[in-house]
Amino acid sequence: MRYSRWFAVLAAAMLAAGGVSAGYADTTASADTTAELPSSFQWSSTGPLIGPKPDATHDAVSFKDPSVVRYEGEWLVYGTTASESGGWNLVYTHFSDWSQASSAPHYYLDQSAVGSGYRAAPQVFYFEPQGKWYLVYQTGVPSYSTTDDPSDPSSWSEPRNLMDSMPDIVADNIGDGHWVDFWVTCDAAMCYLFSSDDNGHLYRAETTLGEFPYGFGDTQIAVWDTPEDLFEASNVYKVEGTGKYLLLVEAIGSDGRRWFRSWTSDSIDGFWNRLADTEQNPFARSNNVTFPGGEWTADISHGELIRSGVDQTMTIDPCQLRFLYQGMDPEASGDYSQLPYQLGLLSQTNSSC
């Protein structure tokens, strides 16, 4: 048994016994940095680029939870939309340049074999060992569809499950939370499935590269903190040319606004060291973002970094960080499903490269 797994098992047991208040992430040490990733970040944001587009059969009120790849000269963006009745659906749009994003057509995936019902928080990537594209999303459990062409949203297969039921360790720690926001990333030997519970726990399950998408098990608590400080929307990326991995997790600030914390590690299943993870020094929050066109959002919520490739390693170029995120009018309020989220794009302005 690898040391990191032993530590996670021990830590989970201590947490359940009430003996640990901070988790399998370093929440006390100073920031861990690399030459390519700075210890603090500054960003500039566009205005809203992609918003809801209702049609005759879809009374959409938001476009949120984006996943994005560059494919054959176009940006392909998959996301979540909510209806006026509170139902969730997956949605797709595509365009060659970000200046075209607001005018691009939308396709609702309930028109495909993905079907209707609860579908949310997609992640799109190319699984190179099989030569197939995957769309991972939540249906209550982690589900996926496949296609040979991600630019044809009608071609996705019907949902299948990565895991058929909630692992015991999640059930034991979830409290009044929800098992959400599934994220897959792989190294040369293993694939890992991350998820959150809205109760301060980030989970990691694993399977071999050869078994994927089957065999996910050995679920561990990878990181924990308070429910507000470790909320949901986790992303894990390979940082190109550094031997490092970057973890992002959404938090709820002291002002109730959404923002992102960050950590780094030498391995996906390793120890996560703090990078920029406080409200004063965030990965991305309204206080380290400028809005040249006017501050249209106070929330930097569920998003995804622009990747340098499209495959299962989820690799990013640390010299060209851009983050597609959801935001909304700061005056908006009401039921979560009815919040008018739109997508904006952050560009890092203090690259160390």
Side-chain angles (χ1 to χ4, degrees):
M1 180 179 290
R2 286 176 290 179
Y3 175 78
S4 59
R5 295 182 188 172
W6 176 87
F7 186 90
V9 172
L10 176 62
M14 293 174 67
L15 178 65
V20 173
S21 60
Y24 179 46
D26 176 9
T27 57
T28 58
S30 60
D32 171 63
T33 63
T34 71
E36 291 78 11
L37 289 174
S39 58
S40 63
F41 294 84
Q42 295 293 324
W43 308 89
S44 177
S45 178
T46 66
L49 295 177
I50 303 175
K53 288 190 175 181
D55 63 22
T57 56
H58 300 91
D59 53 356
V61 298
S62 61
F63 195 123
K64 58 193 301 289
D65 307 335
S67 185
V68 55
V69 292
R70 186 72 173 175
Y71 178 73
E72 294 189 348
E74 288 203 315
W75 295 108
L76 312 185
V77 180
Y78 284 86
T80 308
T81 189
S83 68
E84 292 180 1
S85 62
W88 300 98
N89 194 1
L90 298 181
V91 62
Y92 163 82
T93 188
H94 65 102
F95 43 87
S96 59
D97 186 83
W98 290 102
S99 63
Q100 303 166 342
S102 63
S103 60
H106 291 184
Y107 178 94
Y108 294 90
L109 267 68
D110 60 5
Q111 302 169 91
S112 73
V114 169
S116 59
Y118 176 52
R119 312 281 192 267
Q123 178 199 11
V124 62
F125 61 91
Y126 178 68
F127 191 66
E128 189 276 334
Q130 296 173 359
K132 282 192 173 294
W133 286 84
Y134 277 75
L135 190 70
V136 172
Y137 49 95
Q138 57 196 47
T139 62
V141 295
S143 297
Y144 72 93
S145 296
T146 61
T147 185
D148 293 325
D149 183 4
S151 65
D152 178 6
S154 68
S155 66
W156 289 104
S157 67
E158 64 184 16
R160 297 181 177 87
N161 294 338
L162 294 172
M163 301 178 80
D164 291 328
S165 61
M166 181 183 293
D168 289 344
I169 192 170
V170 180
D172 290 344
N173 288 282
I174 196 170
D176 294 327
H178 306 88
W179 192 33
V180 295
D181 293 346
F182 303 103
W183 177 272
V184 170
T185 189
C186 308
D187 58 24
M190 304 291 292
C191 289
Y192 301 89
L193 176 66
F194 286 84
S195 59
S196 299
D197 67 2
D198 290 347
N199 194 38
H201 306 96
L202 177 68
Y203 302 95
R204 185 194 69 246
E206 64 182 50
T207 189
T208 65
L209 199 70
E211 287 180 291
F212 179 84
Y214 308 110
F216 275 108
D218 192 24
T219 305
Q220 308 287 342
I221 297 176
V223 183
W224 71 83
D225 209 322
T226 67
E228 294 76 21
D229 289 335
L230 198 77
F231 189 53
E232 56 185 33
S234 68
N235 299 179
V236 178
Y237 303 95
K238 179 181 179 181
V239 184
E240 193 170 34
T242 68
K244 294 281 187 178
Y245 292 88
L246 174 68
L247 165 66
L248 307 180
V249 182
E250 185 176 345
I252 301 176
S254 56
D255 57 359
R257 298 299 182 178
R258 304 293 186 91
W259 63 286
F260 274 89
R261 302 173 68 192
S262 61
W263 297 259
T264 61
S265 177
D266 294 328
S267 62
I268 300 173
D269 62 346
F271 187 90
W272 292 100
N273 298 286
R274 291 171 59 176
L275 184 60
D277 77 323
T278 67
E279 290 191 62
Q280 296 73 34
N281 181 33
F283 178 78
R285 198 180 193 279
S286 58
N287 60 342
N288 70 339
V289 176
T290 61
F291 296 86
E295 189 169 350
W296 63 277
T297 179
D299 294 275
I300 309 296
S301 185
H302 194 133
E304 187 175 288
L305 285 169
I306 303 295
R307 292 171 250 158
S308 57
V310 298
D311 71 17
Q312 71 281 352
T313 62
M314 309 305 288
T315 301
I316 57 169
D317 180 353
C319 294
Q320 300 182 33
L321 291 184
R322 288 182 293 170
F323 189 62
L324 186 64
Y325 72 99
Q326 65 182 37
M328 65 177 178
D329 182 340
E331 300 301 317
S333 62
D335 185 80
Y336 181 75
S337 72
Q338 301 304 293
L339 295 177
Y341 278 110
Q342 303 181 74
L343 304 187
L345 182 65
L346 299 181
S347 296
Q348 187 190 2
T349 59
N350 70 327
S351 171
S352 59
C353 298

